[in-house]
Amino acid sequence: MIFKRIPALAAAIVTAAAMASACTGPTAQTHVDRVARAKELPNAPYERVLIVATAARASSAREFEEVLAKELSNDRTYAFGYHRAASRADVKEEVVRSIAEQQNADAILVVTARLVNAERDASTERTDVQAEVKGGGLVDFFRYDYQEYTSPPSADYRVNVQVQTDMFDVASEDRIYTVESRTDFAETTSEIILGEAEELAKRLRKDKLVR
């Protein structure tokens, strides 16, 4: 079962530390912190990749999937998002399997994000309720448990997030690749999505998972 394999890496996974950064705007920076891959990748490079992003809001998950699909797709690789193909907003394993089969996907990318911390420039005052960050509902993009910060409306918020991307081989249902990345000092959802998508696509091509 693909989703039941997510919590633990197989013994065949080899871990290598890697650092790479790309500026996605005037402040936000995205880095790849860790890459783990199977010793053998007999079915790589993959040509048809299903992207599944989990988020508190389906619209944000779909936006991430669309941007990443655009970064990955070319004349040799076709990537497509779960939320464009599915008729439901939430992510269900049986629906993922059905879409992968219908679209002849040979790999599945599962992307999850977690808030590390939120900072603001205005003051050090804290409360338990703050639902917005500069540029819109940034916190709605993530699925996590978090302490929220508040301040006067003029405050500038910046968040640091961690993103984990797992790639599964459809034929074997094994997790064969994991990328842990982070985006620091983001003020908008778009900064995070663009930075993470660009770095992930770059890394997948560097490691010959896609062309």
CSV table of all heavy atoms in Angstrom, one decimal, residues 59-91:
chain,number,residue,atom,x,y,z
A,59,SER,N,-7.7,24.3,-2.8
A,59,SER,CA,-7.3,25.3,-3.8
A,59,SER,C,-5.8,25.5,-3.7
A,59,SER,O,-5.1,25.7,-4.7
A,59,SER,CB,-8.1,26.6,-3.6
A,59,SER,OG,-7.8,27.1,-2.3
A,60,SER,N,-5.2,25.6,-2.5
A,60,SER,CA,-3.8,25.8,-2.3
A,60,SER,C,-3.0,24.5,-2.8
A,60,SER,O,-2.0,24.6,-3.4
A,60,SER,CB,-3.5,26.1,-0.8
A,60,SER,OG,-4.0,27.3,-0.5
A,61,ALA,N,-3.6,23.4,-2.4
A,61,ALA,CA,-2.9,22.1,-2.9
A,61,ALA,C,-2.9,22.0,-4.4
A,61,ALA,O,-1.9,21.7,-5.0
A,61,ALA,CB,-3.6,20.9,-2.3
A,62,ARG,N,-4.0,22.4,-5.0
A,62,ARG,CA,-4.1,22.3,-6.5
A,62,ARG,C,-3.1,23.3,-7.1
A,62,ARG,O,-2.4,23.0,-8.1
A,62,ARG,CB,-5.5,22.6,-6.9
A,62,ARG,CG,-5.6,22.7,-8.5
A,62,ARG,CD,-7.0,22.7,-8.9
A,62,ARG,NE,-7.1,22.8,-10.4
A,62,ARG,CZ,-8.2,22.6,-11.1
A,62,ARG,NH1,-9.3,22.2,-10.5
A,62,ARG,NH2,-8.2,22.7,-12.4
A,63,GLU,N,-2.9,24.5,-6.5
A,63,GLU,CA,-2.0,25.5,-7.0
A,63,GLU,C,-0.6,25.0,-7.0
A,63,GLU,O,0.2,25.1,-7.9
A,63,GLU,CB,-2.1,26.8,-6.2
A,63,GLU,CG,-1.2,27.9,-6.7
A,63,GLU,CD,-1.2,29.2,-5.9
A,63,GLU,OE1,-2.0,29.2,-4.9
A,63,GLU,OE2,-0.4,30.1,-6.2
A,64,PHE,N,-0.2,24.3,-5.9
A,64,PHE,CA,1.1,23.8,-5.8
A,64,PHE,C,1.3,22.7,-6.8
A,64,PHE,O,2.4,22.7,-7.5
A,64,PHE,CB,1.3,23.2,-4.4
A,64,PHE,CG,2.8,22.8,-4.1
A,64,PHE,CD1,3.6,23.6,-3.4
A,64,PHE,CD2,3.3,21.6,-4.6
A,64,PHE,CE1,4.9,23.3,-3.1
A,64,PHE,CE2,4.6,21.2,-4.4
A,64,PHE,CZ,5.4,22.1,-3.6
A,65,GLU,N,0.3,21.8,-7.0
A,65,GLU,CA,0.4,20.7,-8.0
A,65,GLU,C,0.6,21.3,-9.4
A,65,GLU,O,1.4,20.8,-10.2
A,65,GLU,CB,-0.8,19.9,-7.9
A,65,GLU,CG,-0.9,19.0,-6.6
A,65,GLU,CD,-2.3,18.4,-6.4
A,65,GLU,OE1,-3.2,18.6,-7.3
A,65,GLU,OE2,-2.5,17.7,-5.5
A,66,GLU,N,-0.2,22.4,-9.7
A,66,GLU,CA,-0.1,22.9,-11.0
A,66,GLU,C,1.3,23.6,-11.3
A,66,GLU,O,1.8,23.4,-12.4
A,66,GLU,CB,-1.2,24.0,-11.2
A,66,GLU,CG,-2.6,23.5,-11.1
A,66,GLU,CD,-3.0,22.6,-12.4
A,66,GLU,OE1,-2.4,22.9,-13.4
A,66,GLU,OE2,-3.8,21.7,-12.2
A,67,VAL,N,1.8,24.3,-10.4
A,67,VAL,CA,3.1,24.9,-10.6
A,67,VAL,C,4.2,23.9,-10.7
A,67,VAL,O,5.1,24.0,-11.6
A,67,VAL,CB,3.4,25.9,-9.4
A,67,VAL,CG1,4.8,26.4,-9.5
A,67,VAL,CG2,2.4,27.0,-9.4
A,68,LEU,N,4.2,22.8,-9.9
A,68,LEU,CA,5.2,21.8,-9.9
A,68,LEU,C,5.0,21.0,-11.2
A,68,LEU,O,6.1,20.6,-11.9
A,68,LEU,CB,5.1,20.8,-8.7
A,68,LEU,CG,6.1,19.7,-8.7
A,68,LEU,CD1,7.5,20.2,-8.8
A,68,LEU,CD2,5.9,18.9,-7.4
A,69,ALA,N,3.8,20.7,-11.7
A,69,ALA,CA,3.6,20.0,-12.9
A,69,ALA,C,4.2,20.8,-14.1
A,69,ALA,O,4.8,20.2,-15.0
A,69,ALA,CB,2.1,19.8,-13.1
A,70,LYS,N,4.0,22.1,-14.1
A,70,LYS,CA,4.6,22.9,-15.1
A,70,LYS,C,6.1,22.9,-15.1
A,70,LYS,O,6.8,22.9,-16.2
A,70,LYS,CB,4.1,24.4,-15.0
A,70,LYS,CG,4.6,25.3,-16.1
A,70,LYS,CD,4.0,26.7,-15.9
A,70,LYS,CE,4.4,27.7,-17.0
A,70,LYS,NZ,3.9,29.0,-16.8
A,71,GLU,N,6.7,22.9,-13.9
A,71,GLU,CA,8.2,22.8,-13.8
A,71,GLU,C,8.7,21.5,-14.3
A,71,GLU,O,9.8,21.4,-14.9
A,71,GLU,CB,8.6,23.0,-12.4
A,71,GLU,CG,8.4,24.4,-11.8
A,71,GLU,CD,9.4,25.4,-12.4
A,71,GLU,OE1,10.5,25.0,-12.8
A,71,GLU,OE2,9.1,26.6,-12.5
A,72,LEU,N,8.0,20.4,-14.1
A,72,LEU,CA,8.4,19.1,-14.5
A,72,LEU,C,8.2,18.7,-15.9
A,72,LEU,O,8.9,17.9,-16.5
A,72,LEU,CB,7.8,18.0,-13.6
A,72,LEU,CG,8.3,18.0,-12.1
A,72,LEU,CD1,7.5,17.0,-11.3
A,72,LEU,CD2,9.8,17.7,-12.0
A,73,SER,N,7.1,19.2,-16.5
A,73,SER,CA,6.6,18.8,-17.8
A,73,SER,C,7.5,19.4,-18.9
A,73,SER,O,7.8,20.5,-19.0
A,73,SER,CB,5.2,19.1,-18.0
A,73,SER,OG,4.3,18.4,-17.1
A,74,ASN,N,7.8,18.5,-19.9
A,74,ASN,CA,8.5,18.9,-21.1
A,74,ASN,C,8.2,17.9,-22.2
A,74,ASN,O,7.2,17.1,-22.0
A,74,ASN,CB,10.0,19.1,-20.9
A,74,ASN,CG,10.6,17.8,-20.3
A,74,ASN,OD1,10.2,16.7,-20.6
A,74,ASN,ND2,11.6,18.0,-19.4
A,75,ASP,N,8.9,17.8,-23.3
A,75,ASP,CA,8.6,16.9,-24.3
A,75,ASP,C,8.9,15.4,-24.0
A,75,ASP,O,8.5,14.5,-24.7
A,75,ASP,CB,9.3,17.3,-25.6
A,75,ASP,CG,10.9,17.3,-25.4
A,75,ASP,OD1,11.3,17.3,-24.3
A,75,ASP,OD2,11.6,17.3,-26.4
A,76,ARG,N,9.6,15.2,-22.8
A,76,ARG,CA,9.9,13.8,-22.4
A,76,ARG,C,9.2,13.4,-21.1
A,76,ARG,O,9.2,12.2,-20.7
A,76,ARG,CB,11.4,13.7,-22.3
A,76,ARG,CG,12.1,13.8,-23.6
A,76,ARG,CD,13.6,13.8,-23.4
A,76,ARG,NE,14.1,15.0,-22.7
A,76,ARG,CZ,15.4,15.2,-22.4
A,76,ARG,NH1,16.3,14.3,-22.8
A,76,ARG,NH2,15.7,16.3,-21.8
A,77,THR,N,8.7,14.4,-20.3
A,77,THR,CA,8.1,14.1,-19.1
A,77,THR,C,6.7,14.8,-19.0
A,77,THR,O,6.6,16.0,-19.3
A,77,THR,CB,8.9,14.6,-17.9
A,77,THR,OG1,10.2,14.1,-18.0
A,77,THR,CG2,8.3,14.3,-16.5
A,78,TYR,N,5.7,14.0,-18.6
A,78,TYR,CA,4.3,14.6,-18.4
A,78,TYR,C,4.0,14.5,-16.9
A,78,TYR,O,3.9,13.4,-16.3
A,78,TYR,CB,3.3,13.8,-19.2
A,78,TYR,CG,1.9,14.2,-19.0
A,78,TYR,CD1,1.5,15.5,-19.2
A,78,TYR,CD2,1.0,13.3,-18.4
A,78,TYR,CE1,0.2,15.9,-19.0
A,78,TYR,CE2,-0.4,13.7,-18.2
A,78,TYR,CZ,-0.7,15.0,-18.5
A,78,TYR,OH,-2.0,15.4,-18.2
A,79,ALA,N,3.8,15.6,-16.3
A,79,ALA,CA,3.4,15.6,-14.8
A,79,ALA,C,2.0,16.2,-14.7
A,79,ALA,O,1.7,17.2,-15.4
A,79,ALA,CB,4.4,16.4,-14.0
A,80,PHE,N,1.2,15.7,-13.8
A,80,PHE,CA,-0.2,16.2,-13.6
A,80,PHE,C,-0.6,16.1,-12.2
A,80,PHE,O,-0.1,15.3,-11.4
A,80,PHE,CB,-1.2,15.5,-14.6
A,80,PHE,CG,-1.1,14.0,-14.3
A,80,PHE,CD1,-2.1,13.4,-13.5
A,80,PHE,CD2,-0.2,13.2,-14.9
A,80,PHE,CE1,-2.1,12.0,-13.3
A,80,PHE,CE2,-0.1,11.8,-14.7
A,80,PHE,CZ,-1.1,11.2,-13.9
A,81,GLY,N,-1.5,17.0,-11.8
A,81,GLY,CA,-1.9,17.0,-10.4
A,81,GLY,C,-3.2,16.3,-10.0
A,81,GLY,O,-4.1,16.1,-10.8
A,82,TYR,N,-3.2,15.8,-8.8
A,82,TYR,CA,-4.3,15.0,-8.3
A,82,TYR,C,-5.6,15.8,-8.3
A,82,TYR,O,-6.7,15.4,-8.7
A,82,TYR,CB,-4.0,14.6,-6.9
A,82,TYR,CG,-5.2,14.0,-6.1
A,82,TYR,CD1,-5.4,12.6,-6.1
A,82,TYR,CD2,-6.0,14.7,-5.3
A,82,TYR,CE1,-6.4,12.0,-5.4
A,82,TYR,CE2,-7.0,14.2,-4.6
A,82,TYR,CZ,-7.3,12.8,-4.6
A,82,TYR,OH,-8.3,12.3,-3.9
A,83,HIS,N,-5.5,17.1,-7.8
A,83,HIS,CA,-6.7,17.9,-7.6
A,83,HIS,C,-7.3,18.4,-9.0
A,83,HIS,O,-8.5,18.8,-9.0
A,83,HIS,CB,-6.4,19.1,-6.7
A,83,HIS,CG,-6.3,18.7,-5.3
A,83,HIS,ND1,-5.1,18.3,-4.7
A,83,HIS,CD2,-7.2,18.6,-4.3
A,83,HIS,CE1,-5.3,18.0,-3.5
A,83,HIS,NE2,-6.5,18.2,-3.2
A,84,ARG,N,-6.6,18.3,-10.0
A,84,ARG,CA,-7.2,18.6,-11.3
A,84,ARG,C,-7.9,17.4,-11.9
A,84,ARG,O,-9.0,17.5,-12.5
A,84,ARG,CB,-6.1,19.0,-12.4
A,84,ARG,CG,-6.7,19.2,-13.8
A,84,ARG,CD,-5.6,19.6,-14.7
A,84,ARG,NE,-5.2,21.0,-14.5
A,84,ARG,CZ,-5.8,22.1,-15.1
A,84,ARG,NH1,-6.8,21.9,-15.9
A,84,ARG,NH2,-5.4,23.3,-14.9
A,85,ALA,N,-7.4,16.2,-11.6
A,85,ALA,CA,-8.0,15.0,-12.1
A,85,ALA,C,-9.1,14.4,-11.2
A,85,ALA,O,-10.0,13.7,-11.7
A,85,ALA,CB,-6.9,13.9,-12.3
A,86,ALA,N,-9.0,14.7,-9.9
A,86,ALA,CA,-10.0,14.1,-9.0
A,86,ALA,C,-11.3,14.9,-8.9
A,86,ALA,O,-11.2,16.2,-9.1
A,86,ALA,CB,-9.4,14.0,-7.6
A,87,SER,N,-12.4,14.3,-8.6
A,87,SER,CA,-13.6,15.0,-8.4
A,87,SER,C,-13.9,15.4,-7.0
A,87,SER,O,-14.9,16.0,-6.7
A,87,SER,CB,-14.8,14.1,-8.9
A,87,SER,OG,-14.8,12.9,-8.2
A,88,ARG,N,-12.9,15.1,-6.1
A,88,ARG,CA,-13.1,15.4,-4.7
A,88,ARG,C,-11.9,16.2,-4.2
A,88,ARG,O,-10.8,16.2,-4.8
A,88,ARG,CB,-13.2,14.1,-3.9
A,88,ARG,CG,-12.0,13.2,-4.0
A,88,ARG,CD,-12.2,11.9,-3.3
A,88,ARG,NE,-12.6,12.1,-1.9
A,88,ARG,CZ,-13.5,11.4,-1.2
A,88,ARG,NH1,-14.1,10.4,-1.8
A,88,ARG,NH2,-13.7,11.6,0.1
A,89,ALA,N,-12.1,17.0,-3.2
A,89,ALA,CA,-11.1,17.9,-2.7
A,89,ALA,C,-10.1,17.2,-1.8
A,89,ALA,O,-8.9,17.5,-1.8
A,89,ALA,CB,-11.7,19.1,-1.9
A,90,ASP,N,-10.5,16.2,-1.0
A,90,ASP,CA,-9.6,15.6,-0.1
A,90,ASP,C,-8.9,14.5,-0.8
A,90,ASP,O,-9.3,14.0,-1.9
A,90,ASP,CB,-10.3,15.0,1.2
A,90,ASP,CG,-11.5,14.1,0.8
A,90,ASP,OD1,-11.9,14.1,-0.4
A,90,ASP,OD2,-11.9,13.3,1.7
A,91,VAL,N,-7.8,14.1,-0.2
A,91,VAL,CA,-6.9,13.0,-0.8
A,91,VAL,C,-7.3,11.7,-0.2
A,91,VAL,O,-7.2,11.5,1.0
A,91,VAL,CB,-5.4,13.4,-0.6
A,91,VAL,CG1,-4.6,12.2,-1.1
A,91,VAL,CG2,-5.1,14.7,-1.2
